Amino acid sequence: MLRGVLKKCGRCGAGHLFDGWFHQKERCPGCGLKFEREPGFFVGAYLINFAIVIIMLFVLCMGFVAMKAIDHNASVAPIVIAGLIIAVVAPVAFYPFSRTIWSAFDVGMTPLEPDEVADAAQALVSARDVDVAEV
């Protein structure tokens, strides 16, 4: 799980898994693992992302409740603005982390099948052959 939190491959720990903030590479550059192991694989990542945002909003709401308990005249406007910022910014900021956390969780809970291991090795060899051919 720590590898996922650090945006690294859950299988080998290699980094550089993203070409951009929103574009994860198809395979790990270190071990050749195909990240999307089945159709709809990353639905779990979206659930993780959603849960993080909900937890952040819950903490914000509980902070507002505590603030209202101390000061009955406290304004709701700063809390609404903070909530909107969290609801918009947090899912975008946490997106790549949720994907790598989900991949690491899945590799830990569902070990790779022998054909997936062979496919990863073959993809790694093919990628090295392409790199050699380009030189």
Side-chain angles (χ1 to χ4, degrees):
M1 292 301 291
L2 180 61
R3 288 177 177 175
V5 171
L6 298 174
K7 286 190 353 182
K8 299 198 180 285
C9 175
R11 182 175 180 219
C12 71
H16 306 289
L17 305 180
F18 290 83
D19 290 329
W21 195 256
F22 297 107
H23 188 262
Q24 186 176 18
K25 294 178 180 176
E26 182 180 344
R27 293 183 176 275
C28 172
C31 66
L33 171 69
K34 184 175 182 180
F35 292 116
E36 191 167 358
R37 294 175 70 184
E38 59 190 29
F41 176 76
F42 284 112
V43 171
Y46 300 128
L47 177 64
I48 289 171
N49 207 351
F50 180 72
I52 293 297
V53 173
I54 293 298
I55 290 167
M56 291 173 75
L57 290 173
F58 177 76
V59 169
L60 180 69
C61 287
M62 291 301 102
F64 178 67
V65 168
M67 189 172 73
K68 274 301 235 189
I70 295 170
D71 179 12
H72 297 293
N73 297 324
S75 174
V76 73
I79 300 301
V80 170
I81 291 169
L84 289 172
I85 291 170
I86 288 171
V88 172
V89 174
V92 173
F94 198 69
Y95 176 78
F97 297 97
S98 66
R99 289 179 70 100
T100 55
I101 289 168
W102 179 250
S103 293
F105 178 76
D106 185 65
V107 167
M109 296 302 292
T110 311
L112 298 177
E113 298 290 329
D115 61 325
E116 289 178 297
V117 173
D119 184 47
Q122 180 61 37
L124 203 54
V125 168
S126 297
R128 287 188 183 142
D129 289 344
V130 168
D131 289 342
V132 171
E134 289 177 358
V135 174

